[in-house]
Amino acid sequence: MATEKLDTATRREQIAEAALALISEKGMQGLAIASLARRVGLVNSALYRHFNGKDEVLDAMLDLIGDRLMANVKAVRRESARPLDQLRQLLMRHIRLIRENQALPRIVFSEEIYSGKPERRTKLFNIISRYLTNVSDIFSEGQKNGTIRSDTDPLVLAVMFLGLIQPAAILWHLSNNKFDVTKHAEKAWGIFADGLSR
Amino acid sequence: MATEKLDTATRREQIAEAALALISEKGMQGLAIASLARRVGLVNSALYRHFNGKDEVLDAMLDLIGDRLMANVKAVRRESARPLDQLRQLLMRHIRLIRENQALPRIVFSEEIYSGKPERRTKLFNIISRYLTNVSDIFSEGQKNGTIRSDTDPLVLAVMFLGLIQPAAILWHLSNNKFDVTKHAEKAWGIFADGLSR
DNA sequence: TCTCCAAGTGAATATACGTTCACATGATAT
DNA sequence: ATATCATGTGAACGTATATTCACTTGGAGA
């Protein structure tokens, strides 16, 4: 009725973002074409004007997530010059990203994403690998720098870095947001960084 | 036809274990009542003789997982007296458990588990909490013992401990089992333990 | 050996969801 | 002002899957 017509480029963005929001609120189960369409003010069928199917929506979502992860990396590289500070900042940004957007862990952990279309698993792997590579670059710089011990593989450190947040994020989620991720991350980072610099 | 009749106690076990196996092979999607029943040699409807519905099956599965986690803890406490050794053993056992039983991470990370029935989220939280408490007990002993630095919260350490494996497990899974979890865990443990003892 | 109830069967039902299609409409370019 | 095409609509279809129910059957105990 009163639904204004918007071009596909705009709609695709709206829809991908609505998908993230929906998942954040209702979980993967909540991501139904009908709900998704309604959320951007359309009916089911209209969604197919902009995406060939649900698969394409999922792909678009993954791209969005990749963008946000990389945006965080770029931001912290701008904000500070010292690797250890950059990492700490990144940790906090990552937590904020997850808190504001619960869709992120839910998508990464869910197989609905790639159970139908195995290539999407590779896509997700690439997104995470790219993030890890960037994180490990920061570690490398710290090692050249002398602020981080050089006897350890930076890629291992990068994966450990993710490990500072991940289980905490799950506990936060399972505990109905009672578990304090930020506090945990601060303490864990303290211990980790302590070990790094010696 | 040639399906022998077994008592409910037996069937419940068979079914819960079949559920874990199914998820390990096909993912959460693969856990359909029909497939599950067929796997233990029954038809759909027969399953309802032993469970009131899918929900009950999920509950039974969670209990099974809890048991296996706790079994690992008990085993390592038997095998060694020194906390650091126990932890290392537990790490390796945990990895083995996950490798042999991909269902574990898939279930923990999936919300299908509790999206329908929120109390199940609490149940899962309790299972993990229980495991964490046991792990943190080991850390505590190490601290009393003098082999682990005392200026850190053992519960934080326990969560970090999980973080040594978790992201690696995901990478392993996303990379079609190419990423070497065991190798990562060994390196990561080296770094972590190094930080612990100083 | 007979009886009876727990355990197993097959068909039917209900629901939820992705997708398609013939038709309507509004913005834009001429 | 009008034509055109991208965008939006409503209804219908197909499929997958959990659940129910009237029934059969096998085996343990009287």
Side-chain angles (χ1 to χ4, degrees):
Chain A
M1 311 212 139
T3 307
E4 64 176 334
K5 294 189 175 177
L6 299 174
D7 60 302
T8 287
T10 311
R11 283 295 190 207
R12 283 183 68 102
E13 266 218 47
Q14 283 186 349
I15 292 169
E17 257 156 31
L20 280 182
L22 249 182
I23 291 173
S24 288
E25 289 166 21
K26 314 270 188 187
M28 281 287 158
Q29 305 286 358
L31 188 65
I33 295 292
S35 328
L36 190 50
R38 208 176 317 122
R39 192 168 186 114
V40 293
L42 296 174
V43 295
N44 313 356
S45 48
L47 200 139
Y48 289 84
R49 292 277 171 235
H50 312 296
F51 287 98
N52 277 325
K54 198 175 182 180
D55 272 349
E56 271 195 25
V57 178
L58 295 179
D59 279 333
M61 264 181 29
L62 284 187
D63 289 333
L64 220 75
I65 288 176
D67 291 349
R68 301 207 175 164
L69 288 176
M70 293 313 295
N72 272 356
V73 173
K74 294 218 174 79
V76 302
R77 304 216 77 153
R78 233 185 301 110
E79 284 168 6
S80 165
R82 287 181 304 183
L84 277 176
D85 287 348
Q86 290 178 351
L87 288 166
R88 194 174 194 293
Q89 289 302 321
L90 188 58
L91 193 72
M92 292 309 159
R93 273 181 177 272
H94 195 114
I95 288 168
R96 191 140 38 93
L97 187 60
I98 286 174
R99 291 186 66 125
E100 286 169 2
N101 212 329
Q102 292 208 43
L104 207 141
R106 288 182 182 182
I107 288 168
V108 171
F109 296 148
S110 166
E111 342 129 0
E112 295 151 73
I113 288 290
Y114 37 78
S115 63
K117 205 185 159 197
E119 319 91 53
R120 209 179 295 118
R121 184 198 297 233
T122 308
K123 179 171 188 152
L124 183 50
F125 180 67
N126 289 335
I127 289 172
I128 296 180
S129 293
R130 187 140 158 265
Y131 188 56
L132 278 174
T133 304
N134 276 268
V135 175
S136 99
D137 284 347
I138 304 182
F139 278 108
S140 286
E141 282 176 26
Q143 291 180 324
K144 279 190 199 114
N145 203 346
T147 49
I148 294 176
R149 55 192 277 184
S150 305
D151 60 345
T152 48
D153 182 348
L155 204 53
V156 174
L157 293 177
V159 177
M160 288 180 78
F161 180 80
L162 281 193
L164 294 179
I165 313 172
Q166 225 169 70
I170 289 169
L171 288 172
W172 173 62
H173 181 221
L174 289 181
S175 68
N176 294 312
N177 310 349
K178 289 207 195 64
F179 183 90
D180 191 334
V181 211
T182 310
K183 196 175 279 178
H184 170 82
E186 270 165 3
K187 288 186 190 168
W189 172 254
I191 297 169
F192 184 57
D194 195 27
L196 284 180
S197 50
R198 85 179 220 72
Chain B
M1 315 213 141
T3 308
E4 64 175 337
K5 295 188 173 178
L6 299 174
D7 60 302
T8 287
T10 311
R11 284 297 191 206
R12 283 183 68 103
E13 265 217 48
Q14 283 187 350
I15 292 169
E17 256 155 31
L20 280 183
L22 250 182
I23 291 173
S24 288
E25 290 166 20
K26 314 268 188 187
M28 280 288 158
Q29 305 287 355
L31 188 66
I33 296 291
S35 329
L36 189 51
R38 207 175 319 123
R39 193 171 185 108
V40 294
L42 296 174
V43 295
N44 314 353
S45 48
L47 200 139
Y48 289 84
R49 291 276 171 238
H50 313 296
F51 288 98
N52 278 324
K54 198 174 181 178
D55 272 349
E56 272 196 24
V57 177
L58 295 179
D59 279 333
M61 266 181 27
L62 284 187
D63 288 333
L64 220 74
I65 288 176
D67 291 348
R68 303 209 172 163
L69 288 175
M70 293 313 295
N72 272 355
V73 173
K74 293 217 175 80
V76 302
R77 305 216 75 153
R78 234 184 300 111
E79 286 167 5
S80 166
R82 286 180 303 180
L84 277 176
D85 288 348
Q86 289 178 351
L87 289 166
R88 194 175 192 293
Q89 289 303 320
L90 187 58
L91 193 71
M92 292 309 158
R93 275 183 176 271
H94 195 113
I95 288 169
R96 190 140 40 92
L97 186 60
I98 286 175
R99 290 185 67 124
E100 285 168 4
N101 212 329
Q102 292 209 43
L104 206 142
R106 288 182 182 181
I107 289 167
V108 171
F109 296 148
S110 167
E111 340 129 1
E112 294 151 76
I113 288 290
Y114 38 77
S115 63
K117 205 183 158 201
E119 319 90 54
R120 209 179 296 116
R121 185 197 298 233
T122 309
K123 179 171 188 154
L124 182 50
F125 179 69
N126 289 335
I127 289 173
I128 296 181
S129 293
R130 187 139 158 265
Y131 188 55
L132 278 173
T133 305
N134 277 268
V135 175
S136 97
D137 284 347
I138 304 182
F139 279 108
S140 287
E141 283 177 26
Q143 291 180 326
K144 278 190 199 113
N145 202 347
T147 49
I148 294 177
R149 54 191 279 184
S150 305
D151 60 345
T152 49
D153 182 348
L155 205 53
V156 174
L157 293 177
V159 178
M160 288 179 79
F161 179 80
L162 281 193
L164 295 179
I165 313 172
Q166 223 169 72
I170 289 170
L171 288 173
W172 173 64
H173 182 221
L174 288 181
S175 68
N176 294 310
N177 310 349
K178 288 204 195 66
F179 183 90
D180 191 334
V181 212
T182 310
K183 195 174 281 178
H184 171 82
E186 270 165 3
K187 289 186 189 170
W189 172 254
I191 298 169
F192 184 57
D194 195 29
L196 284 180
S197 49
R198 84 177 226 76

